[in-house]
Amino acid sequence: MSAEIRTFKASFGVSWLKAGWTVFKAQPLTFMMMYIFIVIVGLFPFILPNTIIQMACALAGPFLTVGFYNAALNSQAGKSIMLADILKPFSAKGRRLNLFRLGLYQLGVALILGVIMSLLFEPVTSAIQNHSPEQDMESVIAQIAAAISFSDIAIFVVLQSLAMMAFAYALPLVYFKEQANILNAMKQSLKVFYYNMAPLSVFGGIVALLMIASAPLSLVPLMFIMPIVYIGFFVSFQAIFAAQSSLEDNTPDQGDKHQDNIGQSGRFDA
């Protein structure tokens, strides 16, 4: 069964980030440690290039992300959280199987995108691999530039973006809304981006600017910024998939006021 999707104005992209900050500042160090833990697990395949480790880390990703979301939910409720809370989804009976299945879908899509990438950028790879040490660097760069096709780049960016959008809300839908149909959850996630393009574009634009601003500092500020982004995104999920019945007794003006409380309380009370 599909959950109802609600739409919001562009300004709510800012409100969700404000809500993320409100939750984050309750226990900033814990949320930062959770984010660092997720990054470390994500880097393991590069440190230890082993197929089994790569698959294990890829499949663990959804569990750790919803563990972070669940910690944010507990913090919204005024509960104290700890780093170990990020591992709780691994022991969530009745939900972990669907998370595992979602991880398999993500792994499959990543493999397909990898094949597409190798096919699209094969001329660039060949130009890099086949140059001789005697060649002038300028001529090598010219060969690489000539091999680059902007249409191929555009195709890959579109496919990568669609994959990210398909899984973005599918993950919390599978865990918090207990949707067992992975493909249906992915379709709903894509619909969210279609109907809420304005606030999510504002949200993503602000995040992109913050990431660019952190580049001169070796991206160190991301340890502070990204936990807020994670929480803000989860707040957007709470808002977009909130039960419509929670607003049935409100007038339109009261409903807008109720929605504005997201940025003040750090929680969307459905």
Side-chain angles (χ1 to χ4, degrees):
M1 182 178 178
S2 299
E4 185 174 355
I5 295 172
R6 299 174 61 211
T7 57
F8 290 86
K9 299 176 183 177
S11 60
F12 279 92
V14 179
S15 298
W16 294 332
L17 283 171
K18 288 182 179 178
W21 162 248
T22 301
V23 177
F24 172 79
K25 67 182 181 181
Q27 286 189 243
L29 185 59
T30 305
F31 282 118
M32 288 173 67
M33 291 301 294
M34 285 184 174
Y35 172 70
I36 292 171
F37 185 78
I38 292 174
V39 171
I40 290 174
V41 172
L43 291 176
F44 254 105
F46 300 98
I47 300 172
L48 300 171
N50 179 283
T51 304
I52 296 177
I53 293 176
Q54 290 174 341
M55 291 186 63
C57 291
L59 294 174
F63 288 86
L64 298 178
T65 303
V66 296
F68 189 103
Y69 291 161
N70 201 51
L73 186 63
N74 288 331
S75 183
Q76 287 175 328
K79 299 178 182 178
S80 179
I81 60 173
M82 61 182 68
L83 177 59
D85 290 345
I86 200 172
L87 301 176
K88 285 185 176 180
F90 286 100
S91 58
K93 294 182 179 179
R95 299 186 185 185
R96 58 189 176 190
L97 177 59
N98 287 333
L99 281 179
F100 179 75
R101 290 174 57 233
L102 181 66
L104 290 176
Y105 274 72
Q106 286 183 313
L107 187 59
V109 170
L111 291 174
I112 293 172
L113 287 174
V115 172
I116 293 174
M117 183 177 180
S118 65
L119 293 174
L120 290 175
F121 302 113
E122 192 274 335
V124 178
T125 305
S126 298
I128 295 173
Q129 294 177 344
N130 296 332
H131 78 278
S132 62
E134 293 78 16
Q135 279 185 293
D136 182 66
M137 185 55 66
E138 290 185 2
S139 65
V140 173
I141 294 174
Q143 288 179 5
I144 295 173
I148 294 175
S149 170
F150 290 102
S151 61
D152 290 343
I153 294 174
I155 291 171
F156 184 76
V157 169
V158 169
L159 292 176
Q160 181 68 47
S161 299
L162 286 173
M164 292 176 64
M165 289 189 287
F167 287 109
Y169 287 100
L171 180 55
L173 278 170
V174 166
Y175 187 80
F176 294 100
K177 296 293 185 180
E178 300 186 35
Q179 289 206 10
N181 190 322
I182 306 298
L183 288 177
N184 187 52
M186 292 170 65
K187 290 177 183 178
Q188 283 187 271
S189 184
L190 288 171
K191 286 176 64 177
V192 168
F193 280 88
Y194 179 78
Y195 289 110
N196 285 281
M197 184 60 69
L200 290 173
S201 295
V202 171
F203 184 96
I206 294 173
V207 173
L209 290 175
L210 291 173
M211 294 179 71
I212 293 171
S214 68
L217 299 174
S218 301
L219 301 179
V220 173
L222 291 184
M223 291 190 296
F224 175 83
I225 295 170
M226 291 310 296
I228 298 173
V229 173
Y230 271 54
I231 300 168
F233 186 81
F234 179 66
V235 172
S236 76
F237 164 77
Q238 290 177 303
I240 291 169
F241 290 98
Q244 190 67 28
S245 59
S246 64
L247 299 179
E248 283 180 353
D249 296 330
N250 294 336
T251 64
D253 291 340
Q254 290 172 327
D256 290 340
K257 183 178 180 181
H258 179 77
Q259 294 169 6
D260 287 335
N261 288 335
I262 299 172
Q264 299 172 2
S265 67
R267 178 181 178 84
F268 188 91
D269 296 312

